Amino acid sequence: MPSVLIAGGGLAGLSAAAALGGAGFDVDLFEARPFLGGRATSYQIPGLEEDSAETIDNCQHLLLRCCVNLLDFYERLGVRDRIRFHREVYFLEPGGRLSVLRRGRLPAPFHFAGSFLRMRCLGRADKIAIARALWAIRRERAQGAPCRTDLDRISMLDWLLQKRQTPRAIDRFWRQILVSAVNEDLDRMAAVHGLQVFYLGFLARTDSYELGIPTVPLAELYGANAWQRLANVRFHLRSSVERIDGAGFTVAGERRAADHYICALPFERLPAVGLPAPAFDHSPITGVHLWFDREVTTLPHATLLGRTMQWMFNKDRGRYLQLVVSASRDLTGVPRNEIVDIAIGDLRLYFPRVQEANLVKAHVVKEQRATFSAAPGTESLRPTAQSGPPNVFLAGDWTRTGWPATMEGAVRSGYLAAEAVAQRASRPARFLLPDLT
Ligand SMILES: Cc1cc2nc3c(=O)[nH]c(=O)nc-3n(C[C@H](O)[C@H](O)[C@H](O)COP(=O)(O)OP(=O)(O)OC[C@H]3O[C@@H](n4cnc5c(N)ncnc54)[C@H](O)[C@@H]3O)c2cc1C
């Protein structure tokens, strides 16, 4: 069978390897770090006991049930059952008032009608405005293809203002969901992404919004066991690729050749291997891990309205919480101990039990290059899998996947690059699953 070299062991490279390996190709994947998973991975930090260690995710990673290619990738690795889906989306206000969005018995797109009408964090005028905008999304994204041509040129905020959304609807509904889904502020996010997230996640099918949370550390999803069934895929860790061209890779000064090549590196790393990079900006994400000496909440997760911290995930019996701030530019210059203070101050407002609890450990992860910024005008600049030099196929969440920079987007890019390789090898194959409609 034809041979393929892949640079990068994030989800883009791994999904390309799984697809091509499953189709019988001979695959060698080179990853600079000593572990797989790229930005969606875990690592060890000192534990609570002396000399102990604890594995944490670099940041909580969330998926929706509409991430059909990511779920297909997990299926290929035999780990799909390690994702737990939650039907409830909890909106929490300072003071502790809770609103819950969950599907009822009506068919899509009316499945949220009951719980949406009961949401206490929104008023009547807000709900009428949101319903009107959701209806417009269905119209403007007919059959999954945007039928408005300016959606990549205007910001999501512009679009919401066109639809006469109330300030509270924008702050407590649209911003709360979209800033974390697209990792960009509403005024910096192209409307095309906002409409896509809402269409696929909230309108396409009754269950497509369900929140998937891994029940194991992220790195375990790509552990060695998962690859046993793909013996023709070989991993080379701590192997930084130094150059990529149509004739091969250079790794540790040595040339490596194969029939085809996939570059699945982050876009900012392309110049270092001799490839041109798109001029995209980055958008940061900050994760705050907090360990308390007692349970402070029983909620599994919640989106936190109106403060700096945006999402809370209950990682262990209400004692270990992970907080996430997307598009966290405001925290870039803030020292880590001050970020912990902000987080504790916010939590006290939502979870009164935090007042009595003692913080036993804290860990802050600032990912300055978390994702590319999905700004207006960016979509048309994203390269396709075939945009590289001859015989070098591009993958990565920044390529033209039809999705914002997410795990689903990365897997889609890996499948698209794998399809391009299969096509070039005259063994055409379909790996990409279509979006829900
Ligand atoms: C903090 C944070 C939170 C996030 N939360 C979510 C979320 O909740 N849901 C979601 O869907 N997405 C989330 N994302 C986005 C998601 O993690 C990424 O979109 C996805 O993991 C990108 O995968 P990738 O393979 O394209 O790139 P990467 O994961 O960056 O993989 C590229 C790989 O290439 C390797 N590499 C770099 N240079 C070289 C070289 N020269 N030679 C060999 N290897 C090299 C890197 O070490 C890396 O492993 C989050 C991202 C971050 C940072």
Side-chain angles (χ1 to χ4, degrees), residues 176-188:
Q176 208 63 31
I177 292 172
L178 285 176
V179 171
S180 51
V182 182
N183 189 32
E184 196 43 284
D185 288 322
L186 293 180
D187 57 343
R188 293 173 177 245

Side-chain angles (χ1 to χ4, degrees), residues 352-371:
R353 277 187 262 171
V354 172
Q355 314 265 16
E356 288 90 50
N358 296 309
L359 184 71
V360 288
K361 193 169 69 160
H363 185 79
V364 175
V365 182
K366 287 192 201 179
E367 291 271 10
Q368 291 305 119
R369 294 173 160 184
T371 66

